[in-house]
Amino acid sequence: MRIDVVTVFPDYLAALDLSLIGKARQAGLLDLRVHDLREWTTDRHRTVDDTPFGGGAGMVMRPDVWGCAIDAVLDGDPAGHLVIPTPSGEVFTQRHAEALAAEQHLVVACGRYEGIDARVAEHYRAAGRRVSEVSIGDYVLNGGEVAALVLVEAVGRLLPGVVGNPESLVEESHGAAGLLEYPVYTKPPVWDGLEIPEVLLSGHHARIDRWRRDRALERTAQRRPDMVAALDVARLDKHDRALLADLGWDEVDGRLRRRPGAVAE
Ligand code: JB8
């Protein structure tokens, strides 16, 4: 896969030389190219922004500079998919990462200030390109660079051959079964007076699997009630349903619903 990132702070993306993604690049699995937007300015001051039409605070990034930059890195490739990090985008999830990992060529346009002139996304959509405006969460960053790091890591690790042990990916797709992960432990068996749950030393795999599923259900109920409400009840066993009932979740018309007046643990 090829990914071009365009930014006024190319040094921000230096972290992508490291670790798993750095190795994927060295191995030729990921062709990642980082560009300075100012390469496509034409004035003496290398201007990338201007004041907003209609008034208001801050500056907006100019569509003409962005158009030149994006056309250059698209390189005539009809498969190029434009990705624009923005707090007004769809919230980026593992489903988006999976879809983007199936593409051949991504162009990530990192805005700064109050963002990129809206005609840029409009122009590339009108030209028949896929354009994804995505947010990495409900908080505000100063620009799209950190979001681009998140996107490249989330997508890059899904490319064939990038994660050494594909079982890691398989286990996580259980996470796609809609639960948070269970708690994990390693040596030493006693730390700071804290022991590990005895069942994990039992060698009894069925009991260990059940214990882990119970902890995953408890954690999810406590931290992510939205995920419990989205569970497919048909895919829960009797034990799952009993535990969730204990935690205050009842089955109503094939969905789980928090019992009114249930007390949080
Ligand atoms: C200007 O919070 B964010 C984000 C904030 C931004 C831009 C892009 C993303 C561009 N401010 O995800």
Side-chain angles (χ1 to χ4, degrees):
M1 166 181 257
R2 173 172 166 186
I3 305 181
D4 291 273
V5 180
V6 184
T7 165
V8 289
F9 292 117
D11 292 348
Y12 241 111
L13 285 298
L16 297 175
D17 294 337
L18 306 175
S19 190
L20 199 73
I21 299 299
K23 285 195 190 119
R25 295 173 73 181
Q26 285 177 0
L29 301 169
L30 174 62
D31 176 12
L32 177 65
R33 310 180 193 186
V34 179
H35 313 267
D36 186 340
L37 177 67
R38 290 190 208 277
E39 279 180 43
W40 289 280
T41 56
T42 51
D43 64 315
R44 213 166 60 81
H45 294 105
R46 311 183 86 198
T47 308
V48 295
D49 61 340
D50 212 321
T51 53
F53 280 118
M59 301 290 270
V60 174
M61 297 191 100
R62 292 177 59 106
D64 49 355
V65 178
W66 271 110
C68 289
I70 292 166
D71 286 345
V73 303
L74 279 171
D75 217 352
D77 180 1
H81 178 150
L82 182 57
V83 182
I84 307 178
T86 166
S88 334
E90 286 180 31
V91 177
F92 182 75
T93 64
Q94 192 63 20
R95 303 293 84 74
H96 292 90
E98 288 161 1
L100 293 179
E103 300 274 1
Q104 294 169 41
H105 186 189
L106 304 178
V107 172
V108 184
C110 300
R112 280 266 145 185
Y113 321 110
E114 302 308 309
I116 302 173
D117 186 301
R119 290 170 292 181
V120 172
E122 186 187 341
H123 165 80
Y124 288 98
R125 283 196 186 105
R129 288 203 180 271
R130 276 183 284 185
V131 178
S132 299
E133 296 180 85
V134 294
S135 163
I136 61 162
D138 289 341
Y139 37 79
V140 181
L141 305 172
N142 287 327
E145 287 76 13
V146 167
L149 287 172
V150 169
L151 297 172
V152 171
E153 182 158 320
V155 170
R157 64 191 294 288
L158 296 178
L159 300 177
V162 172
V163 167
N165 177 6
E167 252 186 51
S168 310
L169 295 176
V170 173
E171 282 216 1
E172 283 164 11
S173 74
H174 290 299
L179 297 177
L180 299 181
E181 295 290 340
Y182 51 79
V184 294
Y185 303 87
T186 186
K187 289 168 274 298
V190 184
W191 174 73
D192 194 32
L194 299 171
E195 296 184 352
I196 63 172
E198 209 169 278
V199 63
L200 300 180
L201 299 171
S202 70
H204 197 305
H205 298 300
R207 262 190 238 154
I208 291 172
D209 287 348
R210 187 65 251 176
W211 181 89
R212 286 177 164 168
R213 184 151 176 95
D214 288 351
R215 300 293 83 71
L217 286 160
E218 279 177 2
R219 269 188 167 181
T220 309
Q222 194 158 47
R223 302 174 182 181
R224 293 294 302 275
D226 60 313
M227 289 173 70
V228 177
L231 285 173
D232 180 0
V233 177
R235 303 204 46 200
L236 300 174
D237 66 24
K238 265 173 57 184
H239 192 117
D240 294 336
R241 294 177 205 207
L243 179 64
L244 286 167
D246 279 347
L247 296 170
W249 288 86
D250 293 329
E251 199 179 317
V252 182
D253 302 332
R255 293 255 77 105
L256 288 163
R257 187 192 290 168
R258 187 101 173 105
R259 191 177 311 135
V263 275
E265 178 62 34

